[in-house]
Amino acid sequence: MLDKLSHADFAPTVNQDWSLEDSEGNTLALQLISAVEKPTWHAPQLSPRVPFLLSFLGPLAPIIPQGLYILSHPAIGRLEGVLVTPQHATGSRQDGHCYQVNFN
């Protein structure tokens, strides 16, 4: 299912809450703060989809490590096996920590 999703699927959910679940069933609330197409990353011979980047804001604690997670949203459903990358160096804010998900 992940390979069928596009930027257009996520754009309506910007500024909405998502749920992140780890392999042990622990959950964390995140907010999607941006969904941006990255046409300069596009390699049409590898994929017809224009790559895009999702940025999420999570709480100050806990900070989640990079890994595979399940992302859930009421309008989109459960997305299993999503690689979430913490943005520790540039993503710390007073109101939380930023995380990114790349779709190539």
Side-chain angles (χ1 to χ4, degrees), residues 10-48:
F10 292 91
T13 69
V14 171
N15 297 320
Q16 293 183 11
D17 291 334
W18 284 70
S19 176
L20 179 93
E21 183 179 334
D22 68 16
S23 61
E24 298 174 4
N26 301 309
T27 60
L28 186 68
L30 300 177
Q31 181 184 45
L32 181 60
I33 56 175
S34 72
V36 179
E37 285 189 305
K38 295 292 186 177
T40 58
W41 298 353
H42 194 210
Q45 67 277 18
L46 299 177
S47 172

